Amino acid sequence: MSTLNPGMDAETFDQFIDQLRRYVRDRLIPAEKDILETDRIPADILGEMRDMGLFGLTIAEEYGGAGMNTYQYTQTIRELAYAMPCFRSIISITVGMVNSALRNGGTEEQKAKWLPQMAEGMVTAFGLTEPGSGSDSAGMQTMAVKSGNGWVLNGTKRYITNAPDAKMAVIMARTSKEALPKNAHVSAFIVPMDTPGITVGKSDKKMGQAGTHIADIILEDVQLPADALLGLEEGKGFVTAMKSLDNGRLSVAAASMGYARRAVDSALRYASERKAFGEPIANFQLIQQMLAESDIEIYASETMLADCARRVDAGEPVLRKAAATKVFASESCGRIVDRVVQIYGGAGYLAEYDAERFFRDARIYRIYEGTTQILQLQIAKHMLREFAAGVN
């Protein structure tokens, strides 16, 4: 498989991963208790993450980033996601979806303006989902209307990760009232979050994922200049969003397996220490079965992710494979954290232990960046389309 994006030098990348692995275990995991109490990543840790270049992982070196390819990025996310999910969420929208949108659809001027700020640590958001629509672009209600030399946006975006902290957002909006073929009624806009007319709702209370903030973004007569239109071209927003979501889905897959590994390591430690009938429960074969099944599923997820990421770097279209990887990794993570609660037994239901937090935190992975059910439909449609076209 040829490589179009070689990414960071291999030796440098290996050194970076070793450093990150130590940082996650020595600095991030000890900070989790404080984050659970405050629902916020400490400012000094955010500063350290910026200094390490975590906000610029995939941004090209010419704009101040590390220039990682997709394979390196997903391996980095897997390591980072061994700690609680908020550390991935705060950077992944920037280095994943927003960077992908600008890289694939932005003009040179837009890249030069925004990518260096992102690489330095600017928090961003990606506004696609609405109260009445998510994957269904025909149901999108946010409108962008031409006004003089610019645009006026009105609408509401819902469940937007990083919305309370973001300085900039890529917002999807209709530029045509009619639903057009190939979703050409949707365009993408680069929106500074301090623009008059933007209101960010109260941060939503969630089942899990402490320190990760989501909220509504309400746009009321938000006036934007002409160059806010991504790529200065109408009708490309949905295509841009879908390309960005491929990246986002691989990031969620990587996060799923990183957190699954953390949960399994916790279960191994607990099963080795907890005794019943005079011996560690790790000696019981049904406990061993749950551990083994979990390890098998993590390995399968890692293999799918590595293959899909390398295909991205080789320039192959991966919409179907990225969806499959995200579905398998997130669903297997759900099964794994459930087994971990079972291994902990009654203690697994108590907030005093990590198992119940793993269970709550992991549940969202099967929902965002495309629910399992939506992605299954997407995979099946592509299978049927390829069958009808005679593609093997």
Side-chain angles (χ1 to χ4, degrees):
M1 197 181 298
S2 63
T3 300
L4 295 180
N5 182 1
M8 181 185 287
D9 170 77
E11 183 178 351
T12 303
F13 177 70
D14 289 343
Q15 292 172 351
F16 170 79
I17 287 294
D18 287 342
Q19 177 191 10
L20 179 63
R21 186 175 294 125
R22 290 193 300 272
Y23 181 71
V24 165
R25 286 154 177 77
D26 296 343
R27 184 75 169 110
L28 299 188
I29 290 176
E32 291 179 348
K33 185 176 183 294
D34 181 51
I35 294 171
L36 288 168
E37 294 173 354
T38 64
D39 193 30
R40 181 163 293 278
I41 300 172
D44 56 343
I45 288 183
L46 274 178
E48 293 166 3
M49 293 173 68
R50 290 185 172 101
D51 292 342
M52 289 179 67
L54 294 180
F55 283 83
L57 296 174
T58 59
I59 295 173
E61 292 183 65
E62 63 186 291
Y63 300 113
M68 286 186 183
N69 59 28
T70 304
Y71 173 80
Q72 293 169 338
Y73 168 62
T74 55
Q75 296 305 302
T76 300
I77 290 298
R78 189 182 71 175
E79 291 293 339
L80 185 63
Y82 191 84
M84 63 193 309
C86 61
F87 300 115
R88 181 201 74 98
S89 292
I90 196 71
I91 70 163
S92 65
I93 303 298
T94 296
V95 297
M97 299 174 72
V98 174
N99 176 50
S100 176
L102 280 162
R103 184 178 66 239
N104 293 324
T107 65
E108 290 305 314
E109 291 76 13
Q110 289 169 339
K111 294 175 186 177
K113 178 178 180 179
W114 293 106
L115 290 178
Q117 296 182 64
M118 290 160 55
E120 289 177 0
M122 182 177 69
V123 178
T124 64
F126 192 85
L128 175 63
T129 302
E130 297 187 359
S133 70
S135 302
D136 175 21
S137 70
M140 185 179 294
Q141 297 299 309
T142 298
M143 285 292 303
V145 178
K146 285 184 178 179
S147 176
N149 293 326
W151 299 87
V152 176
L153 270 62
N154 282 280
T156 298
K157 296 297 179 179
R158 179 146 293 172
Y159 309 138
I160 305 303
T161 301
N162 291 345
D165 308 299
K167 303 300 182 184
M168 180 268 275
V170 171
I171 300 289
M172 303 295 151
R174 301 179 77 105
T175 42
S176 169
K177 291 184 179 179
E178 302 299 322
L180 300 177
K182 298 183 179 180
N183 297 292
H185 56 286
V186 179
S187 299
F189 294 86
I190 303 171
V191 183
M193 290 296 286
D194 60 358
T195 305
I198 293 180
T199 303
V200 176
K202 186 178 180 181
S203 187
D204 293 312
K205 293 183 178 180
K206 309 178 302 301
M207 179 189 294
Q209 303 230 348
T212 301
H213 302 143
I214 64 173
D216 289 359
I217 298 177
I218 300 135
L219 306 109
E220 298 177 298
D221 293 329
V222 175
Q223 298 186 24
L224 299 173
D227 62 5
L229 178 64
L230 185 68
L232 303 182
E233 190 173 0
E234 291 182 46
K236 298 295 185 181
F238 195 77
V239 173
T240 299
M242 290 302 102
K243 288 181 178 178
S244 299
L245 284 176
D246 281 347
N247 185 294
R249 286 163 184 165
L250 293 182
S251 176
V252 173
S256 298
M257 64 187 69
Y259 212 46
R261 176 59 70 191
R262 167 80 179 281
V264 170
D265 286 349
S266 174
L268 284 165
R269 183 168 54 252
Y270 184 82
S272 297
E273 296 172 353
R274 174 75 165 91
K275 291 186 177 180
F277 307 102
E279 60 180 313
I281 64 172
N283 292 347
F284 301 156
Q285 289 183 339
L286 292 180
I287 297 292
Q288 293 175 1
Q289 179 189 28
M290 288 190 282
L291 292 170
E293 286 177 345
S294 298
D295 193 58
I296 290 166
E297 291 194 80
I298 292 173
Y299 177 54
S301 297
E302 290 173 345
T303 303
M304 291 176 70
L305 179 69
D307 175 73
C308 190
R310 288 191 170 110
R311 289 177 185 276
V312 173
D313 291 331
E316 296 183 27
V318 297
L319 188 149
R320 182 170 145 194
K321 287 182 170 60
T325 302
K326 193 267 184 182
V327 167
F328 186 85
S330 62
E331 290 288 337
S332 66
C333 181
R335 291 189 292 270
I336 288 166
V337 294
D338 185 71
R339 291 186 197 115
V340 170
V341 171
Q342 197 71 10
I343 290 169
Y344 269 75
Y349 202 70
L350 301 181
E352 177 184 350
Y353 295 87
D354 288 337
E356 69 89 33
R357 170 163 61 93
F358 297 151
F359 186 86
R360 289 185 292 105
D361 284 346
R363 187 60 183 87
I364 189 64
Y365 290 142
R366 293 148 64 190
I367 297 174
Y368 61 16
E369 313 302 358
T371 66
T372 292
Q373 290 69 34
I374 284 291
L375 295 184
Q376 287 171 331
L377 289 175
Q378 192 177 72
I379 292 166
K381 286 178 181 178
H382 278 78
M383 292 172 65
L384 292 167
R385 190 178 303 155
E386 291 176 7
F387 176 78
V391 178
N392 293 328

